[in-house]
Amino acid sequence: MNDGVNGVALAVFIIFFLAVTVIGFMASRWRRAENENSLDEWGLGGRSFGTWVTWFLLGGDLYTAYTFVAVPAAIYAAGAAGFFAVPYTILVYPLIFTFLPRLWSVSHKHGYVTTSDFVRGRFGSKGLSLAVAVTGILATMPYIALQLVGIQAVLDVMGVGGGENTNWFVKDLPLLIAFGVLAAYTYSSGLRAPALIAFVKDTLIYVVIAVAIIYIPIKLGGFDEVFGAASEKYTAAKAGALIPAEAGQWTYATLALGSALALFMYPHSITATLSSRSREVIRRNTTILPLYSLMLGLLALLGFMAIAAGVKVTNPQLAIPQLFEDMFPSWFAGVAFAAIGIGALVPAAIMSIAAANLFTRNIYKDFLKPDATPEQETKVSKLVSLLVKVGALIFVLTMDKTVAINFQLLGGIWILQTFPSLVGGLFTRWFHRWALLAGWAVGMLYGTLAAYGVASPTQKHFGGSSKEIPGIGEIGYIGLTAFVLNVAVTVVLTFVLKALKAPDGVDETKPADYTADAGDPGVAVELPSATAGSAH
């Protein structure tokens, strides 16, 4: 580790940070609407983004600083098992091709801003809508915290903030400044800010990965040397492998599948999706987003390179920033650090907006102030987006970083339990609302208790996301096991409740709503009673 400050890298980092700050504030003037006081404008960018803006926004949303740091860190620490992120991002795009266009259409038709809006409208259940909203907020909070952890990792490697004995305020001041700037331009510009900044972020990441995948292996003597050094390290440490062991194949497969099912259940993924201007934009994006999977596969190889370069860190999350520090000239290390730092700002902004929209539409408006005006909704959402970021900052500053990572893993287990209500609801009205709520509760309870019982060398509880699958005996992803239980309970109870003729709620959607596009006659947005006046 570098004990001093890397002045050149820090200067380059600051230049890029200032540039995206200016872009963030200027975004409030980009495609400005006549009436900015609505969640459609502040929280969804006016639902006006085309193919490339949406592509960059979704890429900036899904491939975060945590991805940049954690995926190769997993390879560095555990070997090829960390590559599960590559197949899951390949699996996810055919999956979302089947349901995201339907979600966009019905949301555009009825003015839905969140997934909970759709669930409430489809099943006529505020209780189920509330469950989906609370799950989304809980799952998003640690995800935002991890973006700040990514920034902190870069600052640590650059030597900014002093050592462990430094006054806490001085040590965390750079992170506090970055947080303040993020909060300010998100409040001012809404979703337009991360949409514009995503262009810079993704361009930087592609440049850094392209250079790293060519330059670093040349310096290390080629890929033969890289893989050879990694194999030697895993053999000596008796941990990890270049090829996943047979005993870990169930874990690998279930984690990849479960993660693919969960990815577009996160509120920030849906927020970026609903910001697009047409159904066709979503369909095109599902065909070009796999370009990011190619980038992710190359990114993961950096974990092997860190081993071959002799990077020694106590926290694997620092391995890739330290690799850049050691291998690149200082000026390009600054570019790489800026890519990671900006890679944290974009998703953190979208995540805080998404969480705020959920609170505003599905807690504040549904339960606290049903007659809230569009202006009031927008004001509340702006304030809640600040509170969400403050909560994430407190989480990072007061808790151990491994706790943040483990809570993010728990968030993945939780968010997967909303899949039956959202995706199931997009294709069928057969599921009973009370059965969906019961299935969600069972999945949440099992997933939380199972994760609580997982220990690691450093933690007694919440030490991982894999455990023995009941009835099979193999180790698998807890989230997927909980999801199977969720679906089983939902199906069984639906049969029971329908037999008992339990009230099924009112469906405010029609079959034609799920295939409607922006230019279709009569798709000017129908406002349901629960959301009247809050969209246009």
Side-chain angles (χ1 to χ4, degrees):
M1 289 285 284
N2 180 26
D3 293 327
V5 175
N6 187 333
V8 174
L10 179 60
V12 173
F13 179 88
I14 290 174
I15 289 171
F16 277 105
F17 186 82
L18 290 175
V20 298
T21 299
V22 172
I23 292 171
F25 284 109
M26 288 178 61
S28 62
R29 299 186 178 89
W30 179 45
R31 299 183 178 182
R32 176 181 283 180
E34 291 182 11
N35 178 20
E36 300 174 23
N37 292 317
S38 75
L39 289 188
D40 263 17
E41 291 300 329
W42 183 83
L44 292 180
R47 302 183 193 250
S48 63
F49 298 150
T51 300
W52 288 110
V53 175
T54 303
W55 186 70
F56 278 107
L57 184 62
L58 277 169
D61 193 8
L62 303 176
Y63 298 88
T64 68
Y66 177 57
T67 308
F68 209 125
V69 170
V71 171
I75 305 294
Y76 173 84
F83 271 101
F84 83 91
V86 178
Y88 104 63
T89 60
I90 294 171
L91 288 170
V92 74
Y93 297 119
L95 176 68
I96 63 175
F97 185 85
T98 65
F99 74 83
L100 276 191
R102 294 178 67 85
L103 178 62
W104 184 92
S105 291
V106 71
S107 297
H108 184 84
K109 175 75 174 178
H110 291 274
Y112 298 147
V113 175
T114 68
T115 53
S116 292
D117 282 352
F118 165 71
V119 169
R120 181 197 57 226
R122 179 64 154 160
F123 295 101
S125 173
K126 286 188 178 181
L128 184 59
S129 169
L130 178 64
V132 173
V134 170
T135 305
I137 294 170
L138 288 176
T140 301
M141 287 290 289
Y143 220 152
I144 299 172
L146 283 183
Q147 306 315 310
L148 301 182
V149 169
I151 296 177
Q152 207 167 42
V154 167
L155 296 174
D156 285 347
V157 170
M158 284 194 296
V160 178
E164 291 297 325
N165 297 323
T166 307
N167 176 276
W168 74 268
F169 180 76
V170 174
K171 178 178 174 58
D172 294 321
L173 182 60
L175 185 62
L176 293 171
I177 293 172
F179 162 81
V181 171
L182 167 66
Y185 66 62
T186 303
Y187 187 93
S188 169
S189 304
L191 194 66
R192 287 178 172 83
L196 276 184
I197 295 172
F199 282 91
V200 179
K201 174 253 186 186
D202 288 356
T203 301
L204 283 177
I205 286 181
Y206 271 108
V207 168
V208 170
I209 295 301
V211 172
I213 209 70
I214 297 170
Y215 178 77
I216 295 178
I218 290 174
K219 287 198 69 175
L220 295 174
F223 276 102
D224 283 348
E225 292 293 327
V226 170
F227 289 120
S231 182
E232 288 177 14
K233 183 244 186 181
Y234 297 136
T235 302
K238 296 182 179 179
L242 284 176
I243 301 174
E246 185 176 346
Q249 289 177 1
W250 271 83
T251 305
Y252 189 94
T254 55
L255 185 56
L257 178 58
S259 299
L261 294 174
L263 185 59
F264 272 81
M265 298 303 101
Y266 279 103
H268 55 279
S269 303
I270 300 301
T271 295
T273 299
L274 297 185
S275 69
S276 58
R277 69 182 173 216
S278 74
R279 175 187 175 91
E280 194 58 33
V281 166
I282 300 303
R283 292 166 63 88
R284 283 197 293 265
N285 263 273
T286 60
T287 64
I288 59 178
L289 275 169
L291 286 173
Y292 282 101
S293 297
L294 173 63
M295 181 271 291
L296 185 61
L298 299 175
L299 172 64
L301 291 175
L302 295 178
F304 292 143
M305 295 180 200
I307 295 172
V311 171
K312 303 292 183 185
V313 290
T314 55
N315 178 3
Q317 307 297 319
L318 299 177
I320 302 313
Q322 190 61 49
L323 174 69
F324 293 158
E325 170 86 359
D326 294 344
M327 301 301 294
F328 286 145
S330 293
W331 70 271
F332 195 76
V335 174
F337 294 152
I340 299 175
I342 298 169
L345 296 178
V346 171
I350 304 171
M351 290 170 189
S352 64
I353 291 170
N357 287 346
L358 278 171
F359 175 86
T360 301
R361 291 295 289 258
N362 309 115
I363 298 177
Y364 174 74
K365 186 175 179 65
D366 277 354
F367 294 96
L368 303 178
K369 192 173 176 59
D371 60 344
T373 65
E375 290 79 7
Q376 289 172 327
E377 283 186 7
T378 306
K379 183 177 181 180
V380 168
S381 203
K382 285 183 174 183
L383 292 174
V384 172
S385 76
L386 292 178
L387 292 176
V388 167
K389 286 191 279 287
V390 169
L393 183 67
I394 293 172
F395 193 93
V396 169
L397 296 181
T398 59
M399 301 186 76
D400 186 85
K401 306 303 177 291
T402 57
V403 175
I405 294 169
N406 289 332
F407 271 108
Q408 194 275 329
L409 294 175
L410 187 60
I413 295 170
W414 288 341
I415 201 67
L416 182 52
Q417 308 318 310
T418 65
F419 191 99
S421 299
L422 176 59
V423 179
L426 286 169
F427 292 94
T428 178
R429 185 60 168 72
W430 181 78
F431 296 120
H432 195 282
R433 54 181 177 166
W434 296 347
L436 284 166
L437 190 57
W440 166 84
V442 168
M444 291 285 285
L445 183 62
Y446 172 82
T448 304
L449 291 177
Y452 179 81
V454 177
S456 72
T458 57
Q459 285 192 223
K460 187 176 180 181
H461 302 293
F462 299 115
S465 58
S466 297
K467 195 173 185 176
E468 184 176 308
I469 304 171
I472 296 179
E474 299 285 351
I475 302 298
Y477 178 45
I478 292 170
L480 194 59
T481 306
F483 170 72
V484 172
L485 289 173
N486 180 346
V487 173
V489 169
T490 299
V491 170
V492 170
L493 281 183
T494 295
F495 275 115
V496 172
L497 290 167
K498 285 184 178 293
L500 295 174
K501 300 188 184 305
D504 206 15
V506 177
D507 180 6
E508 67 185 23
T509 71
K510 300 187 293 291
D513 298 345
Y514 295 88
T515 55
D517 208 343
D520 293 347
V523 189
V525 180
E526 280 182 13
L527 294 175
S529 59
T531 57
S534 61
H536 61 271

